Amino acid sequence: QAGLKGSLDFLRANPGQMDEIWRYYQARTALVVRRLQEIAAKFGLGTIATESEATFYVWCDFASLPRVPGKSETDLEFVSFLKSLHSDATTGLIGLAAVPGSAFEVRPSDMHLRLSCAREELSDLETAMGVVERAVCIICAESRV
């Protein structure tokens, strides 16, 4: 409780600090939502994500993504496919935390993901959105075969 009290005391003494934190994360979530909207429009997927009032994540709906075995039949498959397309050779990270909706008691087949935007560099988020676009492109192409 002492830590919480110290944090609240700091915020009371520095009310502008929360606005700064909000602006920091809003720039990141706005970038991710904008790119997801572009990807959705490019591939005719409807709405994947909308502006979030959350501080550091975007809730995504990939239900309109075609189902391709091993890639997009469930949220877990889709997250694994994203990771397989791009990962840092050293860390194995894709630059974006993608949490399957099933972790939040959403059916895996509903294809919901929560994307964390808590990255310091905006370029990391741009790279991650490139991975998402590439995954969607591959899945859409394979579904037409």
Side-chain angles (χ1 to χ4, degrees):
Q1 283 190 344
L4 179 59
K5 182 179 180 328
S7 296
L8 290 174
D9 290 344
F10 174 80
L11 291 173
R12 284 188 190 111
N14 302 281
Q17 191 68 33
M18 282 305 296
D19 291 336
E20 185 178 328
I21 292 168
W22 184 86
R23 281 190 301 274
Y24 177 86
Y25 285 113
Q26 197 279 329
R28 283 144 182 80
T29 57
L31 181 150
V32 169
V33 168
R34 177 183 54 78
R35 287 289 288 123
L36 288 170
Q37 289 170 339
E38 291 170 359
I39 293 165
K42 182 176 180 178
F43 295 96
L45 299 178
T47 302
I48 292 176
T50 56
E51 288 293 331
S52 173
E53 292 188 26
T55 54
F56 64 91
Y57 66 87
V58 173
W59 188 249
C60 307
D61 180 352
F62 285 95
S64 59
L65 190 64
R67 300 303 190 258
V68 173
K71 292 182 175 76
S72 60
E73 288 186 315
T74 68
D75 55 3
L76 289 170
E77 280 185 359
F78 189 49
V79 169
S80 293
F81 183 52
L82 289 172
K83 288 184 178 187
S84 76
L85 290 177
H86 172 77
S87 64
D88 180 282
T90 306
T91 64
L93 303 176
I94 64 167
L96 181 77
V99 180
S102 54
F104 302 98
E105 297 188 16
V106 175
R107 288 183 310 192
S109 60
D110 285 351
M111 293 292 290
H112 286 81
L113 301 181
R114 184 176 123 166
L115 303 179
S116 171
C117 302
R119 298 294 296 186
E120 187 169 342
E121 299 297 327
L122 291 174
S123 62
D124 290 343
L125 294 174
E126 273 292 352
T127 299
M129 290 298 95
V131 172
V132 172
E133 183 170 3
R134 185 170 164 220
V136 169
C137 180
I138 291 168
I139 289 168
C140 287
E142 287 186 15
S143 73
R144 288 187 219 115
V145 175

